[in-house]
Amino acid sequence: MMLPVLLAAADSAAYQLVSLDGRIQAAMVTNDAKVLSAAIAADFSFAHADGSVETKRDVIRTAAARPRYYLRRKVLAAAAHIRGRVATVSGTLDVASGRLPGDPPGLIATCYTLTYAHVYVRRIGRWQLLSHRTTAMTIPEHPCTVEA
């Protein structure tokens, strides 16, 4: 009888992590430095597909300073695996970038789909994103139209 309860608790934690992952992606689109600051660990690293790496400071500074760069960072699929205070979330992300606020609707942007691996750590009673790694570009960069 205990097993279903344990599975339900594990599923709930996995759901919470996948939800947090989606909120972080949304904050990247809206440049919400407050959400990003709370959700990202101090020792965070973001490895992009081109090999460049950003720290938490870089991500927060960029979010606070620049016009909106990402138009879409939509999680298409994600799965969480929890092992004590460490967890991974792997998934597929649909991204549109390259437009600025005020650009007319339907402007051509750059779109791509990638797979990623996130490592989370539970600190101070909450999950924090420790690492983002783009693992593959499943649909390479291509022009696309994105409605505002």
Side-chain angles (χ1 to χ4, degrees):
M1 288 289 177
M2 291 295 284
L3 189 57
V5 174
L6 292 174
L7 287 175
D11 289 346
S12 174
Y15 177 80
Q16 289 174 4
L17 270 172
V18 169
S19 294
L20 174 59
D21 213 52
R23 289 193 306 276
I24 291 170
Q25 297 308 323
M28 295 286 288
V29 171
T30 61
N31 282 354
D32 191 331
K34 184 177 178 180
V35 168
L36 293 170
S37 184
I40 295 174
D43 45 350
F44 170 76
S45 68
F46 187 136
H48 294 273
D50 65 4
S52 63
V53 178
E54 291 182 287
T55 64
K56 176 179 182 171
R57 185 178 192 185
D58 298 329
V59 170
I60 301 303
R61 183 178 32 228
T62 300
R66 76 171 173 208
R68 188 170 134 181
Y69 176 72
Y70 292 112
L71 290 166
R72 180 177 63 231
R73 289 181 68 87
K74 181 180 179 186
V75 177
L76 300 177
H81 305 280
I82 301 168
R83 298 290 181 262
R85 294 181 339 131
V86 176
T88 60
V89 175
S90 54
T92 304
L93 192 61
D94 176 46
V95 181
S97 62
R99 287 186 40 211
L100 298 174
D103 287 342
L107 184 70
I108 302 247
T110 299
C111 293
Y112 50 96
T113 302
L114 58 88
T115 56
Y116 66 92
H118 286 168
V119 176
Y120 284 86
V121 62
R122 190 157 181 82
R123 294 180 179 156
I124 318 166
R126 61 188 166 92
W127 291 105
Q128 291 185 306
L129 180 58
L130 182 64
S131 173
H132 167 99
R133 297 289 182 266
T134 299
T135 55
M137 298 288 279
T138 56
I139 299 177
E141 290 185 350
H142 60 281
C144 63
T145 56
V146 178
E147 296 302 320

